Amino acid sequence: SQQGEEDPQALSIQEGENATMNCSYKTSINNLQWYRQNSGRGLVHLILIRSNEREKHSGRLRVTLDTSKKSSSLLITASRAADTASYFCAPIFLSGGYNKLIFGAGTRLAVHP
Amino acid sequence: EAQVTQNPRYLITVTGKKLTVTCSQNMNHEYMSWYRQDPGLGLRQIYYSMNVEVTDKGDVPEGYKVSRKEKRNFPLILESPSPNQTSLYFCASSLARQDGYTFGSGTRLTVV
């Protein structure tokens, strides 16, 4: 399967702790994106990391990409209750001239006050 | 405000009654796509469109149709809905091939 596979499936932490979610994929990619979804709502684009980048930061988010291991990680530092959501990685493949996003099943993050 | 607008948000219908879920974006995006989300299966792509009058099947296109007559609109049509199409549907758009997607708020469809 080309899709990203997130690990763990679920993560429960206390406010203030860091949360790390991992993503693995099977084929070469052009870039990789991370999205957040609050329960039953639309996905929100968090960050995009290109295949020639190794690390990217956005506020409390840090994303790494290791193309040799075909893996990525999303770190949320100093987590807050509002970070409670599902997080999806979406590797992007060029297929027929179109950027095809393949979503995994996601990591459900629960941040407890 | 830049956004993707889906309507309706909730819909309950009966088997076989044709329905359309509308999707509109105000960002002049070329690429648009429909996904369905089911528990344990994640998001699966139904159809996508690279530009006006250019559409193609995604991973789960059976039972669905789409059209792209205008750049901003990308409706999803269920000609004869069945209970296995009960799902949460999302429309998404992006400016260019490598960019992030903007998602709509979703349409929760129940077919009885």
Side-chain angles (χ1 to χ4, degrees):
Chain A
S1 167
Q2 293 174 319
Q3 73 183 55
E5 296 182 5
E6 293 90 348
D7 172 66
Q9 290 186 336
L11 182 59
S12 182
I13 59 174
Q14 296 296 124
E15 231 174 5
E17 294 180 339
N18 295 341
T20 299
M21 287 158 271
N22 302 299
C23 170
S24 61
Y25 56 91
K26 291 192 166 62
T27 63
S28 296
I29 62 171
N30 293 300
N31 63 47
L32 185 144
Q33 303 179 14
W34 284 90
Y35 289 81
R36 183 187 73 226
Q37 182 183 33
N38 291 89
S39 180
R41 310 289 292 181
L43 279 73
V44 175
H45 180 254
L46 293 176
I47 198 164
L48 179 155
I49 185 165
R50 303 194 186 282
S51 60
N52 61 354
E53 296 176 312
R54 292 296 168 260
E55 188 171 309
K56 201 159 184 179
H57 297 255
S58 177
R60 293 184 296 113
L61 306 182
R62 173 179 166 248
V63 168
T64 62
L65 179 64
D66 187 334
T67 53
S68 66
K69 294 181 179 177
K70 293 185 170 57
S71 66
S72 175
S73 68
L74 170 67
L75 168 68
I76 304 174
T77 59
S79 63
R80 306 166 182 167
D83 294 328
T84 294
S86 290
Y87 292 82
F88 297 86
C89 75
I92 296 181
F93 312 86
L94 267 181
S95 175
Y98 176 71
N99 59 327
K100 191 174 176 71
L101 278 73
I102 306 291
F103 290 90
T107 293
R108 294 186 309 279
L109 173 66
V111 182
H112 302 284
Chain B
E1 180 188 352
Q3 59 185 1
V4 175
T5 303
Q6 287 180 236
N7 280 297
R9 288 293 311 277
Y10 302 93
L11 179 59
I12 300 175
T13 190
V14 297
T15 298
K17 185 177 181 182
K18 180 179 178 180
L19 66 92
T20 299
V21 183
T22 63
C23 174
S24 180
Q25 49 93 4
N26 62 359
M27 297 165 282
N28 202 35
H29 284 175
E30 286 189 351
Y31 295 89
M32 298 186 74
S33 184
W34 276 101
Y35 292 86
R36 61 177 288 174
Q37 186 176 31
D38 302 288
L41 296 176
L43 282 96
R44 295 179 291 168
Q45 190 179 50
I46 303 170
Y47 268 94
Y48 63 91
S49 169
M50 290 175 279
N51 214 325
V52 175
E53 302 292 2
V54 182
T55 63
D56 207 349
K57 297 177 181 178
D59 299 314
V60 288
E62 294 77 21
Y64 304 94
K65 285 175 57 176
V66 293
S67 68
R68 187 95 182 270
K69 293 184 170 56
E70 307 164 282
K71 199 170 188 177
R72 63 183 291 123
N73 296 323
F74 191 44
L76 179 69
I77 303 155
L78 285 72
E79 295 268 2
S80 183
S82 62
N84 65 10
Q85 292 178 298
T86 293
S87 187
L88 180 57
Y89 291 86
F90 290 103
C91 180
S93 71
S94 68
L95 178 62
R97 293 186 301 178
Q98 301 286 0
D99 289 349
Y101 271 68
T102 301
F103 277 77
S105 298
T107 295
R108 189 169 292 281
L109 172 66
T110 302
V111 184
V112 297

